[in-house]
Amino acid sequence: MSQLAATSRYPTMSHSTAVSPWQQPFSSQLYPSPLASAHQLSHVELPAASNITHLEVDLNVSPRDRLPTYQSAALANEGHLELQELPFTPIHAPIITMGTHAAPSSSSVSSRSSLAHLYSASFPYITDPSGLVAEVLDPTEPVNFDPQREEADPLQGNVLLLQFLAFSRIPQQGGSSNWPDSVHFTFQLYRFPPVTTQRLKLLAIDKLPKKSSETPPCVLAVINKDGTVNSGSPGLQLQFRVDGAFLQPGERRWFLRYLALHTLQVDVWDSQSLLLIGSTALGLKHMLRQGRPAVQATHELEVITTEYMGEGVPVSLHRASNPISVFTTIKGRLHLRLGNVGCPVDQNKPNKPQCLPPSRSHIISPPDATSGFTGGSLSSKSIQRLNVRNAARAQRLVELDGDLVPLLQSHMKEGGGTPRTNTPWWGETDDVRQRKLNRMVAVRQHEGGQDGTGSEVKTKVTARRAERAQLARDLRLMHAYRERSKAEGITHILSQAITIHHTLYATLGTAEYLEYVLRNPFNTPQTVTIYSEDPELSVITDCDEWRYFKTLTKTLTPLEEDMFHLKEGTLAPQVYLRPKESVHVPLKYQTFVSDNSVVPQGPSLIPSGRSTQVAKKHLSNTVLAKSIKVTFRAEDGKPLAICQVSVEPTPHVIDQTFRFYQPELSFLKKALRLPPWERTPVGDTDAGSQISVRCSDPNVICETKMLAQGEPQDVYLKVPGSPSPQIRKFFITVFTDKWLAVPAQVWQVYVHFLQRVDISCVTGQRTCQSLVIRGTQATRKVQCYTSHPQELKVDPAEVFVLLPGVVQDLQLCVCPLRAGSRFCYLTVVDVEQHTLVACWLLSLTCRLPILSKAFEMCAPVGGGRGSTRKITYTNPYPTSRVLLLRSDHPDLLQFKEDRFEIGGGETYRIGLRFAPSQSPGAQEILIYINNQEEITEETFCVKVKYT
């Protein structure tokens, strides 16, 4: 697993997976890409523009004396000096390689006794479709990949299984031996959504011999939502089904190539503090079945993290910065089992609409002009049975013309006349109201007798005349409205006859190439202008670029030089067509915008129990679905043809993940260095001469510089800050070809913004700092956790209630054991929801105290119980004191008594016990003698020589 070197001034918890010359997102347009994984190095200053410059002037020299030094400098208005722009190259710390470029070794480190007790926990077996146990592969042996054997496999479906079995703790200096107590994992496999597992409890094995020096592995058990440990099958099993319903036609070979060449990065988190423990990576090549019904392989992987120590002094123009010390620490070992079970593919099962295959050809041909106009659609079953091509179903006026209905209603109110029902005449009549009106007329006729008969008839005739006049006005209004909208309706119907629909399955950064066959149906020449609604779908006007995509996609169609004319003041290209002539118009769709939303940090609460948790089917980390219309307009402005392109999102493959930790509301400036790569251009001799990068977040500056061949290539990042504890996520696509056709790698970057607190302290002495946390909108039960619990203490240390909007004070006590500058973390976690409430980045600057005495001793190398010594301490005070003993190397030195009381002026003999060493050398150990307030009274130095 390739590692990263130091970051600038703030820590980076990031590990990259191993790569090969074939790593890239999978598409039908792919070709081998030779980019290897990135290395990260220290960077101090990052420009906001493409040219990195630095301004410098000596303010202690007068302006006139400064002129001979800067030949191009000149005095501006009123005697002000205009600074000269000097070329400036960022100064980096040396590259520090932390491990190899391959994945961590998966060979077993645990003893046979530990493994025997571990697998006696009855983990679930991986079986093939017939119920037999899957064939076990040795992860240390090479894999011979035969694509033809995979193609001939009758079991075309694959069920990928991941079993998290156990975790081996490694004691850390200044940490507890029972840390961590529970863990959860995050990873992303192929194009599946990112996975965050449940909390898993570490169950220790009690049957190992007491004299064993080995740290036994702890079996993982699922923690239920109520906090209890699941008593079912141990471990956690996840499955991912890759079959015809998931893969697009032709994608299976790219999936097999992904298994053969890629690695899976797994981040391990402490479920209590929500701090990153470390990361690991493993190759997926042993999941290739090669004609076997099922295979499995068990890995024991090192979980490593990168830690930083140093002063972090800013760099100047002529002086190199003090490098930050970067070292890798092994936090534990993860026992993981991978399996692949073959399954048959149901040929009769239709694919879902979102899984429909894309067109095999890149050519879009318009519909045949001789097919005729098909008319409207038939939605009634009775009409569909008729042998009628041009037919339509009658609809209500409200459904057809929504704007005409309120116009008629307002016209009816202005006309007055005989009152009618509340519902208009073009709708349904109100039977109840009509019956009431008829009854009222009958009652009036009965009460009026013969005298009212004439008046009633006259009134009725007048009402009918008024109603007919109102209906006539409505008909005239409808006729005028329809005449006005007739042209628009006819244009819409005719545009459907010249519209062709095409579907693209797009991924982030991958250019989809199309050719539209444009035909001139007229007997006169036409100059056609091409308009696109979305700039992401554009016309390829460069002939070299067109030739490159033709070669890449193996499209055998004519290519024409200087085909398009670009009119000044417009971005719409024009093409000249002779009468009845057809040309191929090259189109390209490419997007760098993706979903950058971040799931709240914390373990998943989805219960799994004994059943297997199946990966969700929803799409994540995808581009946005949209529909783009490309219109080809003739000289008179009327559309000649329309191409309606529907963009369906497809998740992309993540090649590498970075995690940066940055103080809130401040810019993150980093430089990522790429290793050398072989340039293998496709279709163009200059295609692989430059690396280009694009970012999915428009607010993030991501760029690279053109360098001479053989020089290291750097990628610069500048990320705006956010409030704590927000996380910014974005993707970086790296291209090695000139025309940015297919990304060679896709990086996923997480930036954790934390509240920064600078603390200056003395080693061995306690320093207190007050922190303030404000309650959220709801009442929460929270608890504080630190990354170094032996050196950082928080009050309150237990669970407390954080009321809404209430300010709570936290007392942080720091007692460092070693000098130097480093970073620690303090988190406040909701213990009920297991979510992060607040997080601090603690920047510690620790200096050594003044030494009082120095001692020197020799100790043997090898086994044994170690060496014991005594040193004397005299109380300089006239009163009795209670003193505490501390050491900066508690693993090498232990005290007979950590606490003692001594009278005024008396002398006390301090008993020391030094642990044995397995290798010769020398080690300086500091002894701190503190009072009850943890203030250092004396500091002794003991230099131990192991010979």
Side-chain angles (χ1 to χ4, degrees), residues 88-125:
F88 172 64
T89 302
I91 301 175
H92 302 278
I95 298 177
I96 301 178
T97 303
M98 299 174 294
T100 61
H101 299 292
S105 174
S106 58
S107 60
S108 178
V109 180
S110 302
S111 64
R112 295 182 182 271
S113 176
S114 299
L115 294 177
H117 289 287
L118 175 64
Y119 288 98
S120 64
S122 301
F123 294 106
Y125 292 103

Side-chain angles (χ1 to χ4, degrees), residues 599-610:
V599 180
Q601 188 174 349
S604 174
L605 299 178
I606 301 177
S608 62
R610 299 177 61 90

Side-chain angles (χ1 to χ4, degrees), residues 792-806:
L792 302 176
K793 303 293 183 180
V794 185
D795 184 26
E798 304 297 332
V799 179
F800 63 93
V801 177
L802 185 61
L803 298 178
V806 176

Side-chain angles (χ1 to χ4, degrees), residues 17-47:
T17 59
V19 295
S20 70
W22 296 94
Q23 278 195 344
Q24 55 192 347
F26 300 121
S27 171
S28 59
Q29 306 174 6
L30 292 184
Y31 64 94
S33 174
L35 181 65
S37 62
H39 293 273
Q40 183 181 357
L41 38 136
S42 170
H43 184 260
V44 179
E45 185 172 353
L46 187 68

Side-chain angles (χ1 to χ4, degrees), residues 691-763:
I691 283 185
S692 302
V693 291
R694 295 293 184 271
C695 184
S696 63
D697 191 342
N699 297 320
V700 175
I701 298 176
C702 181
E703 59 186 10
T704 184
K705 292 181 59 179
M706 173 72 75
L707 299 176
Q709 187 173 1
E711 292 293 330
Q713 188 80 34
D714 295 338
V715 177
Y716 301 100
L717 290 179
K718 184 177 181 181
V719 185
S722 300
S724 175
Q726 293 184 11
I727 303 175
R728 181 184 289 269
K729 183 187 74 172
F730 54 91
F731 300 93
I732 299 176
T733 49
V734 183
F735 298 89
T736 57
D737 59 304
K738 177 181 178 181
W739 301 109
L740 312 184
V742 180
Q745 287 217 335
V746 179
W747 300 344
Q748 182 176 238
V749 181
Y750 290 92
V751 182
H752 300 252
F753 291 97
L754 315 176
Q755 303 179 52
R756 173 168 177 167
V757 177
D758 296 310
I759 301 177
S760 179
C761 51
V762 180
T763 59

Side-chain angles (χ1 to χ4, degrees), residues 504-727:
L504 285 179
Y505 290 82
T507 58
L508 180 68
T510 302
E512 299 291 339
Y513 175 71
L514 304 172
E515 284 190 6
Y516 183 83
V517 181
L518 178 62
R519 181 178 180 271
N520 180 14
F522 304 107
N523 295 322
T524 58
Q526 295 287 331
T527 300
V528 181
T529 307
I530 307 172
Y531 298 93
S532 177
E533 292 182 341
D534 196 314
E536 293 180 348
L537 182 59
S538 59
V539 180
I540 300 178
T541 57
D542 191 286
C543 185
D544 294 335
E545 183 179 2
W546 189 4
R547 182 182 296 108
Y548 177 80
F549 276 99
K550 277 183 174 294
T551 306
L552 184 64
T553 58
K554 299 179 181 180
T555 304
L556 303 178
T557 54
L559 186 144
E560 188 175 347
E561 299 280 350
D562 299 330
M563 178 175 171
F564 298 97
H565 170 67
L566 297 178
K567 192 176 181 179
E568 296 183 1
T570 178
L571 299 178
Q574 295 179 339
V575 59
Y576 174 81
L577 277 78
R578 301 179 182 88
K580 304 296 183 178
E581 184 186 16
S582 297
V583 296
H584 289 253
V585 178
L587 301 174
K588 179 183 69 172
Y589 175 81
Q590 190 174 28
T591 181
F592 301 102
V593 180
S594 179
D595 180 19
N596 296 325
S597 60
V598 181
V599 180
Q601 188 174 349
S604 174
L605 299 178
I606 301 177
S608 62
R610 299 177 61 90
S611 61
T612 302
Q613 181 178 347
V614 182
K616 299 179 181 179
K617 296 297 183 182
H618 71 275
L619 299 180
S620 178
N621 294 341
T622 60
V623 299
L624 301 178
K626 61 178 67 175
S627 180
I628 305 174
K629 183 169 66 175
V630 180
T631 306
F632 302 86
R633 297 187 181 275
E635 295 178 355
D636 55 359
K638 296 181 180 180
L640 190 66
I642 298 176
C643 181
Q644 192 79 29
V645 179
S646 299
V647 179
E648 294 292 336
T650 301
H652 48 270
V653 177
I654 303 299
D655 297 286
Q656 196 163 283
T657 301
F658 298 91
R659 289 189 182 272
F660 302 115
Y661 291 85
Q662 177 73 8
E664 62 176 350
L665 304 177
S666 64
F667 281 93
L668 169 72
K669 300 178 182 180
K670 294 289 186 241
L672 305 177
R673 173 158 294 182
L674 302 175
W677 76 97
E678 296 180 2
R679 300 172 180 177
T680 56
V682 177
D684 192 346
T685 56
D686 297 332
S689 60
Q690 168 67 13
I691 283 185
S692 302
V693 291
R694 295 293 184 271
C695 184
S696 63
D697 191 342
N699 297 320
V700 175
I701 298 176
C702 181
E703 59 186 10
T704 184
K705 292 181 59 179
M706 173 72 75
L707 299 176
Q709 187 173 1
E711 292 293 330
Q713 188 80 34
D714 295 338
V715 177
Y716 301 100
L717 290 179
K718 184 177 181 181
V719 185
S722 300
S724 175
Q726 293 184 11
I727 303 175

